């Protein structure tokens, strides 16, 4: 089987983060008890006598790349927001709220979620979902230690409902609540030592077969208790308990490359103010064994789903790489050698003790990891295009069944239609209204948002093919190539021409460019 999901599709997000928040989080949904999910609860409504934007753009309608500050109040569920200069969440993104793909038991994302949860199941782990993606910007950024000038805060990267509120960019926006919940559950659920969280997250991003502005993350943490007073004096006792828990995990015979020491003074430092080397060694060993077992489970399922499992000659291999994350230390990335290439799957590490302290659980110690569900599902089911996860086509959905990993069988390949758009950037951003919201300089994600607003999932890929600066005037020209292709049918020339005209007109209107 040729793996169609690219290495880039499987790369770990650089924004996997673990941190504390000073704001209360919504009550989580306990997945094992979830019976139904009201998918319409978060669909957008506008408090005005004017007609609300449709959830899906249709040919001939004006795209709405951003919501202007003069717009009526936006209501999502039981929350209302007054758009301002920061508001940049367009209707085609808001239409995804409440879909709950990871809760549809026959959807490949839900099947993948359950596969991960089966490795981290009850009673030791609680499996939770966070259906509401609307969080305060402070919880998403400030409380996680993002610097004031971090690009992730920018409207070019993040969807804002107003200056104070965003669509979460990672599941870590909810982490503090789960650390605190473990304390609250100690009397009623003493056996629960960790948790998994699954949620939809939102980021302005490129348009290609491995990126989508709405995707799904899972993160997991496992904590151990330490004495509340002078825990370092009892570090041998704490480490002994962790080693005992490690021995309870199954062993495996997969080849693992792990050439580096657990900690390194500069590359991967020990949190020596809070942890002893013995504790870090024990936590890391438990973390790595747990994730190696997860990878073996995932790739065993992927191998069984191939047309001819016996034809795969190369054995599975795992490699540990030193990494850096602001919220864990030591930190690691896990790579897997699969069908001739190393694939980076996830990031992990020993949780920074400062985060546990600020979360109100200073007497706990442990590990955490994060991964993207789409990346794993593309590999498991051999799904070549991330847009397919949002398809309602029965030819796609009927191929999957809860509890089974099956190889995706593509529909008839529909032809691509490539069209270029070239333009001069404005000499100044003054007077232009960016698709990122307000008056900000043009960013590549602006054209991505404009194309998504005009063409939706009919745009397969957008790439920069030419860049030119005029030697006399200094004006800059860009040329982007857009590949229009439906996953379900052949597009007509008339349809693609209308889509492309909308892109061109919206570029002029919102970005102030001059078409060439």
């Amino acid at each position: 089987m040729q793996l169609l999901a690219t290495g880039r599709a499987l790369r770990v997000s650089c924004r996997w983060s673990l941190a504390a928040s000073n704001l209360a989080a919504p009550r989580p949904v306990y997945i094992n008890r979830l019976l139904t999910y009201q998918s319409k609860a978060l669909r957008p409504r506008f408090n005005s006598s004017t007609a609300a934007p449709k959830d899906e753009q249709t040919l001939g309608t004006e795209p709405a790349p951003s919501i202007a500050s003069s717009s009526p109040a936006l209501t999502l569920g039981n929350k209302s927001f007054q758009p301002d200069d920061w508001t940049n969440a367009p209707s085609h993104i808001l239409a995804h709220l409440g879909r709950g793909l990871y809760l549809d038991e026959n959807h490949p994302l839900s099947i993948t979620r359950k596969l991960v949860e089966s490795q981290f199941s009850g009673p030791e782990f609680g499996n939770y979902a966070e259906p509401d993606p609307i969080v305060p910007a402070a919880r998403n950024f400030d409380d996680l230690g993002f610097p004031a000038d971090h690009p992730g805060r920018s409207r070019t990267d993040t969807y804002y409902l107003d200056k104070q509120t965003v669509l979460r960019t990672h599941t870590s926006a909810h982490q503090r609540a789960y650390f605190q919940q473990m304390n609250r559950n100690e009397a009623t659920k003493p056996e629960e030592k960790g948790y998994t969280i699954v949620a939809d997250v939102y980021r302005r991003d490129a348009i290609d077969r491995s990126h989508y502005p709405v995707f799904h993350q899972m993160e997991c943490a496992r904590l151990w208790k330490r004495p509340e007073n002078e825990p370092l004096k009892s570090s041998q006792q704490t480490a002994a308990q962790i080693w005992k828990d490690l021995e309870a995990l199954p062993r495996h015979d997969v080849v693992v490359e792990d050439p580096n020491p657990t900690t390194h003074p500069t590359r991967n430092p020990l949190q020596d103010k809070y942890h002893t080397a013995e504790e870090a060694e024990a936590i890391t060993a438990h973390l790595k064994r747990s994730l190696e077992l997860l990878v073996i489970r995932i790739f065993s399922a992927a191998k069984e789903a191939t047309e001819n499992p016996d034809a795969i000659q190369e054995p599975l291999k795992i490699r540990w790489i030193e990494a850096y994350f602001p919220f864990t230390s030591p930190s690691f990335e896990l790579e897997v050698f699969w069908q001739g290439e190393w694939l980076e799957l996830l990031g992990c590490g020993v949780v920074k003790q400062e985060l546990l302290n600020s979360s109100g659980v200073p007497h706990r110690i442990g590990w955490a990891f994060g991964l993207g569900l789409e990346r794993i599902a593309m590999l498991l089911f051999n799904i070549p295009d991330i847009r397919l996860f949002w398809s309602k086509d029965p030819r796609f959905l009927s191929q999957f069944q809860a509890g089974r990993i099956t190889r995706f069988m593509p529909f008839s390949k529909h032809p691509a239609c490539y069209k270029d758009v070239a333009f001069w950037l404005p000499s100044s951003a003054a007077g232009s209204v960016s698709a990122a919201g307000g008056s900000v300089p043009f960013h590549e994600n602006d054209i991505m948002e404009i194309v998504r607003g005009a063409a939706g999932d009919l745009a397969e890929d957008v790439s920069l093919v030419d860049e030119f600066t005029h030697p006399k005037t200094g004006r800059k020209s860009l040329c982007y190539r857009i590949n229009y292709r439906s996953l379900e049918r052949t597009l007509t020339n008339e349809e693609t021409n209308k889509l492309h005209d909308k892109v061109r007109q919206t570029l002029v209107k919102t970005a102030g460019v001059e078409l060439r």
Side-chain angles (χ1 to χ4, degrees):
M1 176 183 71
Q2 180 66 35
L3 183 65
L4 296 178
T6 64
R8 178 170 58 171
L10 295 168
R11 292 193 65 81
V12 176
S13 166
C14 63
R15 290 192 214 166
W16 172 71
S17 59
L18 302 164
S21 168
N22 294 321
L23 298 172
R27 182 180 297 274
V29 174
Y30 189 50
I31 291 178
N32 292 345
R33 296 179 182 174
L34 187 68
L35 298 179
T36 60
Y37 182 70
Q38 299 299 321
S39 62
K40 296 182 179 180
L42 292 175
R43 292 302 173 89
R45 291 186 292 109
F46 288 80
N47 294 336
S48 171
S49 58
T50 59
K54 294 182 179 180
D55 282 352
E56 298 180 3
Q57 294 287 339
T58 57
L59 289 175
T61 62
E62 187 70 24
S66 63
I67 302 172
S69 58
S70 59
S71 297
L74 172 63
T75 298
L76 297 169
N78 60 356
K79 301 177 182 179
S80 184
F81 307 92
Q82 181 58 52
D84 55 28
D85 287 343
W86 282 73
T87 305
N88 67 346
S91 57
H92 63 268
I93 294 298
L94 297 178
H96 290 76
L97 272 65
R99 283 288 300 274
L101 300 182
Y102 56 89
L103 298 175
D104 179 351
E105 65 175 5
N106 292 317
H107 194 279
L109 290 178
S110 181
I111 298 170
T112 304
R113 167 183 66 80
K114 290 182 179 179
L115 183 63
V116 175
E117 289 173 349
S118 69
Q119 190 63 39
F120 302 99
S121 59
E124 185 177 3
F125 289 86
N127 303 131
Y128 299 94
E130 285 289 344
D132 187 356
I134 301 169
V135 300
R139 185 188 302 161
N140 198 76
F141 297 119
D142 299 89
D143 298 334
L144 301 179
F146 278 67
D149 60 351
H150 193 284
R153 294 177 177 268
S154 172
R155 287 167 286 173
T156 61
D157 281 29
T158 296
Y159 292 110
Y160 282 82
L161 298 177
D162 58 34
K163 186 176 182 179
Q164 307 299 329
T165 314
V166 301
L167 299 180
R168 64 183 165 219
T169 62
H170 41 215
T171 52
S172 296
H174 305 284
Q175 189 185 44
R176 179 176 183 258
Y178 286 92
F179 285 155
Q180 294 176 333
Q181 178 175 284
M182 291 180 67
N183 260 5
R184 292 194 301 269
N185 287 349
E186 194 165 354
T188 57
K189 294 182 180 179
E191 70 281 0
E192 189 169 295
K193 310 296 184 183
Y195 62 82
T196 66
I197 308 172
V198 61
D200 48 330
V201 297
Y202 298 74
R203 298 178 195 167
R204 300 178 92 232
D205 209 341
I207 296 179
D208 58 38
R209 300 173 82 184
S210 63
H211 290 82
Y212 202 79
V214 188
F215 57 103
H216 300 81
Q217 282 188 340
M218 285 191 74
E219 70 176 56
C220 175
R222 171 56 159 97
L223 303 182
W224 287 265
K225 287 192 67 175
R226 299 198 294 176
E228 296 191 24
N229 297 320
E230 299 183 313
L232 289 178
K233 291 185 177 181
S234 303
S235 62
Q236 288 185 339
Q237 176 184 345
T238 303
Q241 180 59 53
I242 299 172
W243 285 114
K244 180 180 178 181
D245 291 340
L246 171 65
E247 288 303 312
L249 296 177
R251 295 179 179 272
H252 64 80
D253 57 2
V254 171
V255 175
V256 177
E257 297 181 15
D258 193 5
N260 297 306
T262 298
T263 62
H264 186 277
T266 56
R267 299 194 310 264
N268 224 1
L270 170 72
Q271 302 175 53
D272 53 8
K273 181 179 179 180
Y274 301 104
H275 304 162
T276 65
E278 189 175 10
E279 288 174 316
E281 289 283 352
I283 294 171
T284 300
H286 192 282
L287 166 66
K288 290 182 175 180
R289 175 81 65 82
S290 299
L291 293 181
E292 288 162 8
L293 292 171
L294 171 64
V295 165
I296 292 169
R297 183 180 292 254
I298 289 172
F299 282 84
S300 295
K303 182 177 179 180
E304 291 173 3
T306 61
E307 290 181 326
N308 185 6
D310 295 331
I312 300 177
Q313 302 297 325
E314 293 177 302
L316 180 67
K317 291 188 290 187
I318 295 172
R319 180 168 70 185
W320 288 101
I321 305 295
E322 289 181 336
Y324 168 77
F325 300 109
F327 315 109
T328 56
S329 189
S331 301
F332 311 94
E333 289 174 350
L334 185 152
E335 296 183 347
V336 175
F337 192 77
W338 176 252
Q339 297 189 350
E341 63 178 327
W342 285 101
L343 306 176
E344 183 181 325
L345 289 189
L346 55 85
C348 61
V350 177
V351 179
K352 282 284 186 73
Q353 198 62 37
E354 291 97 332
L355 304 181
L356 294 167
N357 294 349
S358 61
S359 298
V361 287
H363 56 292
R364 295 186 185 270
I365 188 173
W367 55 253
F369 75 86
L371 57 80
L373 276 183
E374 277 85 351
R375 293 157 183 161
I376 303 298
M378 290 175 80
L379 185 152
L380 272 175
F381 297 94
N382 199 42
I383 294 174
D385 194 311
I386 197 170
R387 294 175 296 166
L388 280 164
F389 290 113
W390 296 93
S391 175
K392 298 179 181 179
D393 192 320
R395 292 176 296 175
F396 174 75
L397 297 175
S398 64
Q399 295 191 37
F400 309 103
Q401 183 178 342
R404 295 184 59 197
I405 307 297
T406 53
R407 186 174 186 269
F408 169 65
M409 300 302 294
F411 318 143
S412 299
K413 186 72 171 179
H414 299 289
C417 180
Y418 293 94
K419 291 186 179 293
D420 292 352
V421 56
F423 50 86
W424 294 104
L425 290 176
S427 56
S428 171
S432 66
V433 181
S434 168
S439 296
V440 296
F442 178 85
H443 188 278
E444 184 168 81
N445 280 345
D446 287 338
I447 190 169
M448 304 299 170
E449 203 65 64
I450 288 168
V451 173
R452 289 192 195 279
D457 287 351
L458 298 180
E460 179 176 283
D461 186 84
V462 178
S463 58
L464 180 66
V465 294
D466 185 62
E467 185 174 349
F468 169 74
T469 301
H470 196 285
K472 293 183 178 180
T473 65
R475 296 185 70 189
K476 188 174 184 179
S477 170
L478 302 174
C479 180
Y480 284 89
R481 180 158 296 159
I482 305 172
N483 174 14
Y484 298 98
R485 191 204 311 258
S486 171
L487 294 168
E488 301 169 355
R489 60 186 177 85
T490 298
L491 297 176
T492 66
N493 286 332
E494 181 181 5
E495 285 179 302
T496 53
N497 287 338
K498 286 184 177 180
L499 292 172
H500 199 61
D501 284 344
K502 287 172 64 177
V503 170
R504 290 166 55 87
Q505 294 166 14
T506 309
L507 271 169
V508 173
K509 181 177 180 180
T510 63
V513 305
E514 179 185 341
L515 297 176
R516 295 184 62 188

